[in-house]
C-alpha cells in the first residue's frame, strides 16, 4: 500500500509531466471511442432504417420461401399458434402478409410487380411504410379496393392518386386472379429498385386476388431490440421444425449485415493502429519520466529500496496514468455523444449511400445518431489497462535494474555519441546544430527508437489503409460499371424514368460513327433494355432483358468473363439467352434448357419468345445475378418490334478520371436535343454515394492517425525539453541565442520525422506489395462482398498520395515540435541551471 501512495504522490509532484502523459492517453481513448460510437451509430441506423420499412426484425415462412417466394408455400396463422407470438418475450408486435407476383397495368403501360397484402393496423406496429406516403393516404382497415405504389413506378405508369389500375396474377391452386384497384397513396422510400417492384393492398384484397382462403406467406415481427432476433429466431425455428424457416434481421438483410461486417473490419484495423500508437506513446512518456528521475531511483536503491519495489512503483504510476486517461477520455467522449445521440449529426448526401445495399431498402434519415455501447467501453477499458501495463513493464524493468552509483552520477539512460570520422568532423565544423541534433538523437537510443517507430507505424498505416481504400474504390467503380452501365451511356433524356421502348435513339449508326472518331472513347456498344419476365413451366421471375451486340459489348463490359457455365452470346445464335446464377437457381434451369421471355413491345403489346439458356454468369452482385438476362441485339430488336433502333449506347473511355472532358466531346457528336449522355455517377448514383462515403470515412481515419502521431511527437519533444532543462540553461548562459535552441529542437524532430517516414513508407510498401497479386480476402477477415465488389480486395498504390504523405508527415512532425522548441528558447538560464 505504501508503494501505491508513493506512486500517487509522484504523479502529483510533477504535474506537467503527468498532465502530458494523461493528455496522450486521453487523446487515444477519445479517438477510439469517438470512432466506435460513430460506426456503431451508423450501423444501428442502417438496421433500423432498413428493417423498419418492410422486413421487420424477424420473419416466419415455410421452408424455402426466402430463396423462392412462391404462393405454393402458404400457411394459416393457426399453424404457428403454438408460438404464441403475442406473449413471446421480446416480441413487440407482429403482422401477417400475403405476397405474390403480379402484372399491374395502367392505360399507358404494364409492369411486373411483387404485390403484398398487409393488415393495415397490425402492419403499422411492425413497419413504417405508412410514414413514407408522399401523396394520398395509407391503407386502413375496412377500406378495400385501394393500392399503394412507389413513386418511380407511378411515374413510369403515369399514375396519380385516384387513378385506376388493373392487376392480374396466377393465384393458389391454379386459379387466375384479376382485380381493379384505385391508387390510394404513393410512397417513396428513396430506393428506386424497391419502389419500382413492390405494391401494397389490404390483406383482404390480396386474399381475394390470390384465392388464398385465409392463408398467408409471411408473419413479420418487430422486437424490442433487433439483436434479440439472433437468439429468438433459432429458438422459434427449433420449436416449429424443419418445415419452417425463422429468419433474423441478418438473414433478411444480408447486404446490410455484410456492410456492417465490413465496417467492423475497418474499425478493427483502425483499433489495432491506434492502440499500437497509444502503447508506444505511453511507453515513450513513461520511459522519459524514468530517464528524468534516474538520480531519484539511484538514491532509493542506495538506501535499501528493492528492485521489485521500484518496478511496482513505476508500474503503478503507469496504471494510474492509464486509468485516469481512460476516465478523462470517456468523459470527454460521453458528453458530445450523449448530445448528438439526441440531436443527431447531419449526413447530407451520404444518407442514400446504403440504398443499394438491399432490394427492399428504406428511406434513410438525414441524421446520424452516435451510439456508445457499454460493452464497447468495457472492452476498451480492458484494452487500455492491458496496453498500459504492457507499455509500462519495460520502463519499470529498466528502472529496477539500474546501478545506484551510475544513476546518481546521471550516467544512466543516455549514451555518449562520439565519432572520429572525417565526415563527423566536417559536419561538426560546418553544421554544428545538425551534429548536436544527431548526437541528441543517439543519446537515448530507446526513446528515439520508440518515437521513430511510432511515426513509422503511423506512416505504414497511412500507406496500407490508403492503398486498400484506393483499391476498394477502384473495384467498386470498375465492377459496377463493368457489369451493366459502362463508363457512360447515351440515352433519350426520359428513358431512365420511363423505360419506354418508344424513347429510342434517333440514329444510332450515325452516333456510333461519330464516337469512333473520338480517341478517348475506347469502345461503344448499342443496346436495348426492357422490363420483362422469364418463366419455366413451374416458375416465373421478373428481370431486365438486355439486347447487346456480342462482339462490341465485351469491349465495354466484362460480363462475358463472368460466365461460369456454358458460353457467352455469339453472332448468329439468336435463340440463346445468358442469365445470372441466382436467377437460374430460382427458375430451376440448367444449360441447354428452354425458358419463355415475356415483355411489352414498342407498340405496347405483350410478346413472348422461347429461348435456350446458353450461359450462366456469376458476378458476385446479388442484383445482377438475379435480375439480368442478355440476348443478341438483333433478337431483341425483332422480338420487340424495334427495327434497327436501340435505347442506349454504352461507352468505355480510356481514362475514367478524365471522364467529363470526354463526355464534352461526345456531346458535340450528338445532334438531337432530346438525347443526353450520362456519366456512370448519374447511372449509378447509389454506387457513387457509397464510394463518396467510404472516401470520407477513410480521410477521417487517416486524419485521426496523423493527429495521433503528431500528438505523440509533440508530447515526446516536450518531455525531452523538460528533461534537458538544465542543458538548455547552460547553452543559453554561454551565449547560445534562443533561435539556435529552436533550430536544435526542430532539427531533432525533423530527424525523427524523416527517419520515421522513410521507414514507414518502406514497411507499408512491403505489406501492400505482398498483397498486390493475391489481394486481401474480406471473408478471411470476417467480411463478405458488398454491392459491386468481390470478396477479394486488391490494394492499389497511389504514388501521388505516397509522395504527398511522405512530404506532409515530416512537416506535421516539425510543426508539432514548434511549441516545445519555443518553450526551450524562453527558459531563464539561472532558473534552468538550478532545475532538478
Amino acid at each position: 500500500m505504501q508503494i501505491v501512495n508513493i506512486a500517487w504522490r509522484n504523479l502529483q509532484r510533477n504535474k506537467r509531466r503527468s498532465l502530458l502523459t494523461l493528455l496522450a492517453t486521453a487523446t487515444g481513448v477519445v479517438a477510439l471511442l469517438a470512432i466506435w460510437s460513430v460506426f456503431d451509430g451508423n450501423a444501428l441506423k442502417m438496421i433500423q432504417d432498413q428493417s423498419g420499412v418492410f422486413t421487420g426484425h424477424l420473419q416466419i415462412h415455410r421452408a424455402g420461401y426466402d430463396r423462392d417466394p412462391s404462393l405454393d408455400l402458404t400457411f394459416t396463422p393457426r399453424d404457428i399458434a403454438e408460438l404464441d407470438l403475442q406473449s413471446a418475450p421480446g416480441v413487440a408486435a407482429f403482422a401477417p402478409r400475403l405476397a405474390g407476383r403480379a402484372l399491374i397495368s395502367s392505360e399507358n403501360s404494364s409492369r411486373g410487380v411483387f404485390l403484398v397484402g398487409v393488415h393495415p393496423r397490425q402492419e403499422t406496429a411492425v413497419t413504417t411504410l405508412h410514414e413514407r406516403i408522399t401523396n394520398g393516404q395509407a391503407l386502413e382497415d375496412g377500406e378495400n379496393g385501394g393500392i399503394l405504389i412507389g413513386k418511380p413506378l407511378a411515374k413510369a405508369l403515369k399514375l396519380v392518386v385516384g387513378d385506376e389500375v388493373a392487376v392480374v396474377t396466377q393465384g393458389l391452386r391454379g386459379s387466375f386472379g384479376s382485380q381493379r384497384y384505385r391508387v390510394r397513396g404513393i410512397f417513396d422510400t428513396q430506393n428506386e429498385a424497391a419502389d419500382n417492384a413492390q405494391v401494397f393492398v389490404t390483406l383482404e384484397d390480396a386474399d381475394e386476388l390470390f384465392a388464398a382462403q385465409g392463408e398467408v406467406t409471411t408473419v413479420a415481427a418487430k422486437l424490442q431490440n433487433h439483436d434479440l432476433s439472433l437468439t429468438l429466431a433459432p429458438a422459434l425455428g427449433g420449436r416449429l421444425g424443419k418445415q419452417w424457416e425463422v429468419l433474423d434481421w441478418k438473414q433478411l438483410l444480408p447486404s446490410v449485415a455484410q456492410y456492417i461486417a465490413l465496417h467492423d473490419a475497418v474499425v478493427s484495423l483502425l483499433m489495432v493502429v491506434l492502440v499500437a500508437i497509444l502503447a508506444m506513446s505511453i511507453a515513450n512518456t513513461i520511459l522519459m519520466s524514468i530517464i528524468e528521475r534516474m538520480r531519484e531511483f539511484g538514491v532509493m536503491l542506495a538506501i535499501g529500496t528493492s528492485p521489485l519495489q521500484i518496478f511496482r512503483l513505476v508500474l503503478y504510476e503507469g496504471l494510474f496514468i492509464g486509468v485516469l486517461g481512460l476516465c478523462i477520455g470517456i468523459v470527454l467522449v460521453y458528453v458530445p455523444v450523449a448530445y448528438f445521440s439526441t440531436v443527431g449529426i447531419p449526413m447530407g448526401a451520404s444518407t442514400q449511400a446504403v440504398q443499394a445495399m438491399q432490394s427492399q431498402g428504406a428511406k434513410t434519415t438525414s441524421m446520424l445518431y452516435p451510439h456508445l455501447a457499454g460493452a464497447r467501453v468495457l472492452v476498451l477499458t480492458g484494452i487500455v489497462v492491458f496496453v498500459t501495463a504492457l507499455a509500462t513493464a519495460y520502463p519499470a524493468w529498466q528502472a529496477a535494474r539500474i546501478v545506484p552509483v551510475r544513476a546518481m552520477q546521471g550516467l544512466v539512460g543516455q549514451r555518449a555519441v562520439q565519432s572520429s570520422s572525417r565526415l563527423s568532423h566536417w559536419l561538426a565544423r560546418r553544421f554544428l546544430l545538425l551534429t548536436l541534433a544527431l548526437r541528441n538523437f543517439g543519446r537515448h537510443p530507446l526513446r528515439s527508437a520508440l518515437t521513430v517507430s511510432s511515426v513509422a507505424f503511423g506512416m505504414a498505416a497511412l500507406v496500407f489503409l490508403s492503398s486498400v481504400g484506393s483499391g476498394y474504390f477502384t473495384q467498386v467503380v470498375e465492377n459496377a460499371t463493368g457489369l451493366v452501365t459502362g463508363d457512360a451511356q447515351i440515352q433519350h433524356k426520359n428513358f431512365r424514368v420511363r423505360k419506354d421502348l418508344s424513347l429510342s435513339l434517333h440514329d444510332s449508326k450515325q452516333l456510333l460513327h461519330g464516337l469512333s472518331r473520338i480517341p478517348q472513347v475506347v469502345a461503344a456498344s448499342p443496346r436495348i433494355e426492357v422490363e420483362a419476365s422469364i418463366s419455366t413451366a413451374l416458375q416465373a421471375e421478373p428481370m431486365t432483358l438486355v439486347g447487346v451486340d456480342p462482339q462490341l459489348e465485351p469491349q465495354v463490359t466484362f460480363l462475358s468473363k463472368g460466365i461460369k457455365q456454358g458460353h457467352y452470346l455469339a453472332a448468329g445464335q439468336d435463340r440463346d439467352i445468358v442469365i445470372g446464377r441466382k436467377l437460374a437457381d430460382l427458375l430451376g434451369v440448367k444449360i441447354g434448357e428452354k425458358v419463355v421471355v415475356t415483355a411489352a413491345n414498342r407498340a405496347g403489346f405483350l410478346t413472348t419468345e422461347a429461348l435456350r439458356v446458353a450461359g450462366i454468369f456469376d458476378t458476385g452482385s446479388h442484383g445482377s445475378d438475379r435480375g439480368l438476362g442478355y440476348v443478341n441485339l438483333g433478337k431483341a430488336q425483332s422480338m420487340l418490334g424495334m427495327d434497327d433502333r436501340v435505347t442506349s449506347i454504352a461507352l468505355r473511355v480510356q481514362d475514367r478520371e478524365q471522364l467529363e472532358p470526354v463526355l464534352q466531346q461526345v456531346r458535340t457528336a450528338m445532334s438531337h436535343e432530346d438525347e443526353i449522355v450520362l456519366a456512370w455517377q448519374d447511372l449509378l448514383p447509389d454506387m457513387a454515394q457509397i464510394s463518396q462515403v467510404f472516401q470520407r470515412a477513410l480521410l477521417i481515419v487517416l486524419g485521426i492517425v496523423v493527429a495521433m502521431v503528431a500528438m505523440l511527437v509533440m508530447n515526446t519533444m516536450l518531455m525531452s525539453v523538460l528533461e534537458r532543462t538544465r542543458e538548455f540553461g547552460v547553452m543559453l548562459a554561454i551565449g547560445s541565442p534562443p533561435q539556435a535552441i529552436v533550430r536544435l529542437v526542430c532539427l531533432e524532430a525533423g530527424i525523427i520525422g524523416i527517419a520515421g517516414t522513410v521507414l514507414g513508407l518502406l514497411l507499408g510498401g512491403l505489406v501492400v506489395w505482398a498483397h498486390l497479386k493475391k489481394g486481401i480476402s474480406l471473408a478471411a477477415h470476417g467480411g463478405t462482398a458488398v454491392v459491386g465488389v468481390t470478396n477479394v480486395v486488391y490494394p492499389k498504390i497511389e504514388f501521388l498520395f505516397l509522395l504527398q504523405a511522405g512530404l506532409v508527415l515530416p512537416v506535421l512532425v516539425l510543426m508539432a515540435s514548434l511549441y516545445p522548441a519555443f518553450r526551450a528558447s524562453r527558459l531563464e538560464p539561472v532558473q534552468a541551471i538550478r532545475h532538478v
Side-chain angles (χ1 to χ4, degrees):
M1 192 65 185
Q2 184 178 5
I3 297 295
V4 175
N5 291 331
I6 295 174
W8 178 250
R9 289 179 180 177
N10 282 337
L11 293 182
Q12 300 178 56
R13 186 181 64 184
N14 195 326
K15 294 183 174 61
R16 183 180 298 166
R17 182 184 66 208
S18 300
L19 286 175
L20 286 173
T21 314
L22 278 173
L23 180 62
T25 307
T27 301
V29 171
V30 168
L32 292 168
L33 285 181
I35 293 173
W36 240 335
S37 66
V38 170
F39 273 84
D40 283 354
N42 187 40
L44 184 61
K45 171 179 172 292
M46 287 174 60
I47 296 170
Q48 291 173 343
D49 287 340
Q50 296 285 327
S51 65
V53 169
F54 184 72
T55 64
H57 297 144
L58 180 147
Q59 286 188 13
I60 302 173
H61 313 129
R62 287 285 190 186
Y65 181 83
D66 184 61
R67 185 187 67 83
D68 179 15
S70 169
L71 285 171
D72 295 331
L73 298 173
T74 56
F75 60 94
T76 65
R78 294 190 302 273
D79 295 335
I80 60 171
E82 62 181 279
L83 297 181
D84 191 17
L85 292 176
Q86 193 161 3
S87 58
V91 177
F94 64 94
R97 297 172 182 164
L98 175 63
R101 296 177 182 85
L103 182 69
I104 182 171
S105 302
S106 67
E107 294 181 356
N108 301 285
S109 186
S110 300
R111 284 290 182 89
V113 295
F114 199 65
L115 185 140
V116 185
V118 297
H119 190 291
R121 179 177 52 81
Q122 290 181 265
E123 190 68 29
T124 55
V126 175
T127 61
T128 60
L129 182 67
H130 60 287
E131 298 177 3
R132 317 293 177 173
I133 305 295
T134 57
N135 291 299
Q137 297 177 331
L139 299 173
E140 294 184 4
D141 292 342
E143 293 188 12
N144 298 334
I147 189 170
L148 302 180
I149 64 175
K151 185 176 179 180
L153 181 60
K155 185 176 293 186
L157 298 178
K158 297 182 180 179
L159 294 170
V160 296
V161 174
D163 285 352
E164 209 171 47
V165 296
V167 175
V168 295
T169 186
Q170 183 176 351
L172 275 76
R173 305 170 187 89
S175 63
F176 179 80
S178 176
Q179 291 289 341
R180 299 189 70 83
Y181 300 102
R182 193 168 298 279
V183 177
R184 181 177 177 85
I186 297 174
F187 60 86
D188 181 13
T189 67
Q190 295 187 356
N191 184 315
E192 187 172 344
D195 294 352
N196 251 321
Q198 295 181 144
V199 298
F200 297 85
V201 298
T202 63
L203 189 59
E204 291 81 0
D205 281 344
D207 185 84
E208 182 180 354
L209 177 68
F210 293 120
Q213 300 178 7
E215 295 181 341
V216 298
T217 54
T218 304
V219 170
K222 179 182 179 180
L223 307 183
Q224 294 171 356
N225 187 317
H226 68 273
D227 283 335
L228 291 175
S229 66
L230 303 179
T231 55
L232 186 59
L236 296 180
R239 291 172 59 185
L240 287 174
K242 295 183 179 180
Q243 295 183 346
W244 298 83
E245 60 184 19
V246 184
L247 306 181
D248 57 45
W249 72 266
K250 286 189 175 181
Q251 295 167 307
L252 295 170
L253 301 167
S255 297
V256 174
Q258 292 165 0
Y259 189 87
I260 292 173
L262 183 63
H263 265 199
D264 288 341
V266 172
V267 173
S268 298
L269 179 61
L270 182 60
M271 293 299 121
V272 172
V273 173
L274 293 183
V275 166
I277 294 176
L278 179 63
M280 292 179 183
S281 174
I282 294 173
N284 207 1
T285 51
I286 294 294
L287 185 64
M288 292 183 70
S289 72
I290 289 173
I291 293 172
E292 182 186 348
R293 297 156 57 197
M294 279 302 177
R295 287 186 176 85
E296 173 187 329
F297 290 132
V299 172
M300 292 179 66
L301 289 168
I303 62 176
T305 305
S306 69
L308 179 59
Q309 289 175 318
I310 298 293
F311 179 88
R312 288 169 54 198
L313 175 65
V314 177
L315 185 64
Y316 291 157
E317 289 182 21
L319 288 175
F320 278 137
I321 290 291
V323 172
L324 286 174
L326 174 69
C327 295
I328 294 171
I330 291 174
V331 171
L332 292 176
V333 168
Y334 180 80
V335 174
V337 166
Y339 174 75
F340 286 113
S341 65
T342 303
V343 302
I345 301 173
M347 298 212 23
S350 303
T351 57
Q352 296 180 18
V354 297
Q355 296 304 327
M357 292 298 146
Q358 187 71 22
S359 60
Q360 294 173 339
K363 175 181 178 182
T364 57
T365 61
S366 60
M367 306 297 289
L368 171 65
Y369 298 90
H371 176 71
L372 185 57
R376 299 292 200 193
V377 177
L378 290 176
V379 169
L380 187 60
T381 299
I383 291 174
V384 170
V385 171
F386 175 76
V387 167
T388 302
L390 192 65
T392 310
Y394 179 74
W397 179 71
Q398 284 283 80
R401 62 190 292 269
I402 63 175
V403 179
V405 175
R406 290 177 57 83
M408 288 186 288
Q409 292 174 345
L411 300 176
V412 179
Q414 50 183 296
R415 177 183 299 172
V417 180
Q418 298 178 356
S419 175
S420 58
S421 68
R422 293 180 180 179
L423 177 61
S424 297
H425 287 302
W426 186 82
L427 288 174
R429 289 194 304 270
R430 289 168 175 78
F431 303 101
L432 177 60
L433 286 178
L434 178 60
T435 304
L436 290 175
L438 287 170
R439 288 183 175 180
N440 286 331
F441 182 77
R443 189 166 59 179
H444 293 295
L446 182 58
R447 181 187 71 194
S448 300
L450 281 172
T451 310
V452 170
S453 298
S454 300
V455 177
F457 193 84
M459 187 68 228
L462 290 177
V463 172
F464 180 76
L465 291 173
S466 65
S467 299
V468 172
S470 178
Y472 178 81
F473 301 144
T474 300
Q475 284 178 253
V476 167
V477 178
E478 186 66 32
N479 288 5
T481 59
L483 289 177
V484 182
T485 65
D487 294 329
Q489 285 189 18
I490 300 174
Q491 299 178 350
H492 188 283
K493 62 182 180 181
N494 295 324
F495 182 74
R496 283 191 68 230
V497 176
R498 291 170 51 190
K499 294 286 185 181
D500 192 331
L501 292 178
S502 64
L503 303 175
S504 57
L505 299 178
H506 292 277
D507 192 342
S508 59
K509 292 183 179 179
Q510 182 181 353
L511 267 177
L512 288 169
H513 178 70
L515 293 173
S516 66
R517 303 172 68 176
I518 301 176
Q520 291 83 1
V521 176
V522 176
S525 177
R527 291 174 166 187
I528 290 177
E529 292 184 33
V530 64
E531 299 296 330
S533 67
I534 182 171
S535 60
T536 63
L538 300 175
Q539 187 67 34
E541 292 289 334
M543 73 165 185
T544 299
L545 182 68
V546 186
V548 298
D549 186 312
Q551 294 179 334
L552 295 177
E553 186 68 20
Q555 301 176 38
V556 177
T557 61
F558 58 74
L559 185 71
S560 58
K561 300 178 182 178
I563 301 294
K564 302 302 180 182
Q565 293 178 265
H567 59 81
Y568 190 61
L569 300 172
Q573 302 294 324
D574 286 346
R575 309 301 300 182
D576 287 352
I577 185 172
V578 174
I579 61 176
R581 182 179 296 280
K582 288 184 172 61
L583 183 57
D585 291 342
L586 290 173
L587 295 171
V589 296
K590 299 178 181 178
I591 297 296
E593 295 184 351
K594 290 186 177 180
V595 294
V596 175
V597 175
T598 304
N601 63 17
R602 186 167 178 264
F605 299 106
L606 290 180
T607 179
T608 61
E609 286 284 346
L611 303 172
R612 182 180 68 91
V613 178
I616 296 175
F617 58 82
D618 187 353
T619 65
S621 171
H622 178 84
S624 298
D625 293 346
R626 180 169 181 168
L628 292 177
Y630 290 80
V631 296
N632 275 338
L633 179 62
K635 182 60 181 178
Q637 288 173 330
S638 62
M639 172 184 172
L640 301 170
M642 294 291 288
D643 298 326
D644 61 349
R645 297 180 180 88
V646 297
T647 59
S648 61
I649 296 177
L651 311 176
R652 175 67 62 182
V653 301
Q654 198 169 42
D655 184 2
R656 196 181 294 113
E657 298 294 330
Q658 302 297 323
L659 181 59
E660 188 53 38
V662 178
L663 296 188
Q664 289 293 347
Q665 298 183 54
V666 172
R667 293 184 183 100
T668 61
M670 298 165 56
S671 57
H672 296 277
E673 293 183 357
D674 58 357
E675 294 175 354
I676 58 174
V677 58
L678 300 172
W680 71 268
Q681 294 93 334
D682 302 313
L683 297 166
L684 298 167
D686 298 329
M687 200 58 60
Q689 290 168 355
I690 290 172
S691 179
Q692 290 174 6
V693 168
F694 271 101
Q695 286 176 343
R696 292 171 187 170
L698 181 63
L699 287 176
I700 293 173
V701 167
L702 297 181
I704 290 173
V705 171
V706 169
M708 287 285 291
V709 171
M711 178 68 70
L712 169 63
V713 172
M714 186 176 71
N715 195 19
T716 301
M717 297 309 299
L718 194 54
M719 293 284 286
S720 174
V721 167
L722 293 175
E723 173 202 347
R724 296 155 58 195
T725 298
R726 184 178 299 172
E727 174 186 326
F728 289 129
V730 172
M731 291 179 64
L732 290 168
I734 63 176
S736 297
Q739 295 87 344
I741 302 295
V742 172
R743 290 198 297 270
L744 176 61
V745 175
C746 289
L747 275 173
E748 293 177 18
I751 293 170
I752 290 173
I754 293 172
T757 298
V758 172
L759 184 61
L761 285 171
L762 292 174
L763 178 61
L766 286 174
V767 174
V768 172
W769 179 79
H771 291 87
L772 281 178
K773 291 186 177 180
K774 65 178 182 179
I776 300 172
S777 172
L778 297 178
H781 293 82
T784 50
V786 294
V787 179
V789 185
T790 60
N791 280 326
V792 178
V793 174
Y794 295 90
K796 179 183 178 182
I797 298 178
E798 296 284 355
F799 291 101
L800 179 60
F801 174 83
L802 296 185
L803 178 62
Q804 292 172 340
L807 294 175
V808 169
L809 190 60
V811 172
L812 289 176
V813 170
L814 187 62
M815 291 175 63
S817 69
L818 290 178
Y819 175 69
F822 177 75
R823 282 190 59 95
S825 68
R826 300 276 293 179
L827 291 172
E828 290 292 336
V830 175
Q831 295 180 359
I833 294 172
R834 293 177 177 175
H835 176 76
V836 179

